Amino acid sequence: FIEHEWHKRRHGVWVRIKGVDLYFPGTYYTFLNYWTMKDGKKPEFRYCQYVIFLVWDFVVRHLNYYGLLLIKPRRVGGTEISLFLMWEKISRTRGATGGMQSKNNTSAKKNYKRLLFAQNNMIWFFKPQQRGSTGAQEELEFRYPETRINQARVIEESEIEDTSYDVTYADPELNSSIDYQSSVASAYDGERLERYILSEFGKIDDKIAMSPNEALQTVIPCLHLDSGRTIIGKAFCESSIEDLGSG
């Protein structure tokens, strides 16, 4: 059963709805069945969300696309989807890094906590080992817990003849992480990112000296190698934008 679920997560599944055959990308199948939203409930099928996941699957597969810019109405679930897509990639990829920004620092922290809540409620066979407490404040690290060195530990390890044997874990750690940074244009400058989120880019506070354009100009070099010849990361930028008012 677990092997089949991992296969569906990676490759997707066909579903018949009212006589229509639909291909569910692995991301949408996993989102519907295993993701926990901030209210503690599982998502339900929505065709508009299905289309977003389908387009995102195309973006990820396309070698020349840096990401998706989603302009949407309210209550579509764009933020929840972007957080899941961040977690889904980083939680199964070795040595990967994900970064998040939002319209302001408070919003970015709230989004990070939403992602952390879902990680803590993920089913065990999709949930990688993480370092630190379940309430990691600034960074979610998919690494093994640090070992505290003391005299007893040194004596215990010295008695093991085969020093190459890992007394704790049989497999190497995932060594991936997700964090969030302030709403400034210089965030993530010079870093390598496999996934990036810019949430509510259309509502960035006037007080913040950052435009969506400036943020992406900094992030795009983080998503490629060889001066842009190879794209290794994808960005998901989403916002609900209201009718234009005064000002």
Side-chain angles (χ1 to χ4, degrees):
F1 173 79
I2 293 175
E3 289 178 353
H4 285 170
E5 291 304 280
W6 268 102
H7 186 274
K8 293 174 183 176
R9 177 176 172 178
R10 290 193 178 102
H11 303 291
V13 62
W14 284 91
V15 178
R16 174 165 291 183
I17 300 179
K18 295 184 177 180
V20 179
D21 292 331
L22 300 175
Y23 169 71
F24 277 34
T27 50
Y28 195 38
Y29 174 85
T30 308
F31 178 74
L32 288 176
N33 287 281
Y34 295 106
W35 189 249
T36 302
M37 299 185 294
K38 65 177 182 178
D39 59 2
K41 298 179 180 179
K42 300 296 181 186
E44 295 180 349
F45 173 79
R46 296 288 184 272
Y47 186 76
C48 59
Q49 292 183 348
Y50 165 72
V51 172
I52 294 173
F53 276 92
L54 206 59
V55 173
W56 176 256
D57 188 62
F58 172 76
V59 169
V60 170
R61 293 172 184 270
H62 202 293
L63 299 179
N64 296 323
Y65 287 172
Y66 279 101
L68 175 65
L69 187 71
L70 178 65
I71 299 173
K72 61 181 183 58
R74 287 180 176 271
R75 313 309 300 168
V76 173
T79 301
E80 199 76 56
I81 292 172
S82 67
L83 294 176
F84 166 77
L85 292 173
M86 167 73 75
W87 175 88
E88 198 281 325
K89 171 64 175 179
I90 305 301
S91 67
R92 62 175 173 84
T93 307
R94 294 194 183 279
T97 302
M100 302 162 50
Q101 287 184 284
S102 189
K103 61 183 178 180
N104 55 46
N105 299 340
T106 301
S107 176
K109 186 173 183 178
K110 286 182 178 179
N111 289 343
Y112 172 77
K113 287 185 174 181
R114 286 172 66 176
L115 186 148
L116 197 62
F117 175 76
Q119 154 71 9
N120 293 335
N121 287 275
M122 181 56 58
I123 195 165
W124 64 271
F125 56 78
F126 279 161
K127 183 179 180 180
Q129 180 80 47
Q130 72 183 71
R131 177 177 296 178
S133 68
T134 55
Q137 294 299 310
E138 297 180 354
E139 183 179 20
L140 175 57
E141 298 181 84
F142 297 126
R143 300 180 176 93
Y144 291 144
E146 293 179 333
T147 302
R148 180 171 295 180
I149 303 299
N150 53 36
Q151 185 176 4
R153 175 80 179 181
V154 172
I155 294 173
E156 177 186 351
E157 293 187 352
S158 66
E159 293 174 349
I160 300 176
E161 294 182 3
D162 184 3
T163 57
S164 65
Y165 176 74
D166 189 334
V167 297
T168 308
Y169 303 104
D171 300 311
E173 62 185 359
L174 200 61
N175 195 33
S176 300
S177 64
I178 300 172
D179 71 357
Y180 67 95
Q181 291 197 18
S182 302
S183 302
V184 294
S186 59
Y188 297 109
D189 184 26
E191 297 189 27
R192 169 174 170 160
L193 298 174
E194 274 70 24
R195 287 292 182 270
Y196 170 75
I197 292 175
L198 180 56
S199 181
E200 297 291 5
F201 65 85
K203 300 179 181 178
I204 294 177
D205 290 349
D206 295 335
K207 302 184 293 296
I208 295 176
M210 180 185 81
S211 71
N213 235 2
E214 292 172 331
L216 289 176
Q217 290 304 313
T218 300
V219 166
I220 283 177
C222 303
L223 302 174
H224 66 220
L225 300 174
D226 305 324
S227 300
R229 293 184 181 89
T230 305
I231 297 175
I232 50 94
K234 303 288 182 176
F236 191 109
C237 306
E238 57 85 19
S239 182
S240 56
I241 299 178
E242 308 301 331
D243 293 336
L244 291 175
S246 60

